[in-house]
Amino acid sequence: MSKRDELSINQQELTEAWQRTLPDVIQQSDRAEVQADEADPRSVRITIHSAGHQMYSFDFKVTYVDSREIRTTLVDVEKDGKSVDERTDSIQQLVEDYTRHIHECAQALHELTHA
């Protein structure tokens, strides 16, 4: 019988830790917002506003599978408040970059999430 490797931090603390840490791993010119996912206590919602004149915002759902592993899901990409086709090469490149940054942030938070 193995004990399940579960998240050992409450959602409020988790959200605050992401709010503190994510800005350090994304580009300084980009802006990130982190909120608790009210439907799922193991998840946070992240919106990243890309820098520059493109005015893109990327919405991600980050769910803790266990205390170490996260699943990152792209929820939506918007430009000037309107949904856009996220399959273009330039947007896919940004999604990959942001997903990598999100995973870097999760790694930085291992001390908190893996007690």
Side-chain angles (χ1 to χ4, degrees):
M1 288 262 190
S2 65
K3 181 176 168 285
R4 287 210 34 228
D5 183 15
E6 296 200 4
L7 204 53
S8 62
I9 182 173
N10 74 47
Q11 190 180 35
Q12 176 72 31
E13 289 177 72
L14 184 67
T15 303
E16 290 168 3
W18 276 85
Q19 288 168 339
R20 280 192 311 272
T21 310
L22 189 58
D24 295 339
V25 297
I26 63 173
Q27 293 180 20
Q28 286 189 326
S29 52
D30 292 338
R31 196 167 52 86
E33 296 170 19
V34 182
Q35 297 178 320
D37 184 324
E38 294 181 9
D40 183 351
R42 293 173 305 127
S43 298
V44 293
R45 295 284 185 151
I46 296 173
T47 301
I48 298 176
H49 302 278
S50 64
H53 51 268
Q54 295 139 333
M55 304 291 289
Y56 286 122
S57 65
F58 296 80
D59 292 324
F60 293 94
K61 178 178 180 176
V62 177
T63 304
Y64 277 83
V65 178
D66 58 33
S67 70
R68 283 197 179 99
E69 185 186 347
I70 61 167
R71 181 173 52 245
T72 304
T73 309
L74 177 67
V75 176
D76 191 28
V77 179
E78 294 183 349
K79 179 176 180 161
D80 287 329
K82 297 182 180 67
S83 288
V84 295
D85 181 357
E86 64 258 6
R87 293 171 299 200
T88 65
D89 287 344
S90 60
I91 290 180
Q92 280 301 308
Q93 185 63 53
L94 286 167
V95 168
E96 284 177 30
D97 286 349
Y98 290 139
T99 300
R100 192 172 61 249
H101 293 318
I102 287 168
H103 280 267
E104 286 170 19
C105 185
Q107 294 230 312
L109 294 174
H110 270 184
E111 288 176 13
L112 285 175
T113 60
H114 187 72

